[in-house]
Amino acid sequence: MNKSLLLFLYSITTFAESPGLDNITSSDLDKISKEFSANFVHRAVSPASTLGSIFGFEVGLIAGITDAPDIAAITKRENPTNSDPFDKIAHAGLYGSVSVPFGLTGELVLLPERDLGDVNISHTSLGLKWTFSELLPIPLIDLAIKGHFSSSKISYSDTIDSVLTTINLDNSTYGATLLASANFLVLEPFVGVGMVSRSTDLAASGSVSIFDTSFTANTSSSSDGTSAQVLAGVQLNLLLMKIAAQYENVFGTSVTSAKLTFGF
């Protein structure tokens, strides 16, 4: 678990050291918002089933990688000599979920606020899943609807036009997902479709603006939007341990995630 958390922290540190976020246009901000939002959408990497008809819980870790080709292109544009553009964003967090009667499952993904050098990061996301097939059981099939929300904050220092500047990125998402899974006891393949909305605020403190003057003269700006969401994955149930992997596409961005949890 520690290696995955370090991967997340390393990716943010790399972004803070040489992000290349300067002369940002309206189109650039929209692309940055989409890729960061895709990375921080709440994801449980779990099937539609509950953890138990009366009670169940699991705790562990979720981690993964989000493609960021547009951020990489912006980085390369502002720093053509950069041979290692920021083309991936890692995500990781402590995960916990609890199931109670009536097919309800609460989910939490948490990365507590922390400082790493000049970088300060935090992430919290919540989900509430209702496995409505518990009311009308279908052999081997589970169906669920999930509402979810996430909030993430990143701040770091960078030198913009020879001025040391603090960059702040606040991101939030919310949405709903319809899930279906097949329960073969040990294996549970699952798929999902949904809609997700995003909101990103990007700001630079002080007198320096990171935005192109044709876009805005302010030192802060925001972007929002809504996207369809599709996902597919599989969970392996091994007594008290669960291992799962998931592919997701949201905001036109590919996200690959994995989960390792323990519980009953």
Side-chain angles (χ1 to χ4, degrees), residues 125-148:
S125 69
L126 300 168
L128 180 62
K129 180 175 70 177
W130 177 40
T131 306
F132 55 86
S133 57
E134 290 278 298
L135 301 179
L136 295 170
I138 305 172
L140 300 179
I141 300 297
D142 289 295
L143 300 171
I145 184 75
K146 179 192 297 185
H148 54 86

Side-chain angles (χ1 to χ4, degrees), residues 64 107 167 189 263:
E107 304 167 344
I167 310 297

Side-chain angles (χ1 to χ4, degrees), residues 193-230:
V193 294
M195 295 295 292
V196 184
S197 295
R198 60 179 169 86
S199 178
T200 303
D201 296 319
L202 183 63
S205 66
S207 58
V208 176
S209 175
I210 60 175
F211 302 103
D212 188 275
T213 55
S214 64
F215 171 35
T216 178
N218 298 324
T219 57
S220 65
S221 191
S222 61
S223 176
D224 54 39
T226 300
S227 166
Q229 172 197 42
V230 294

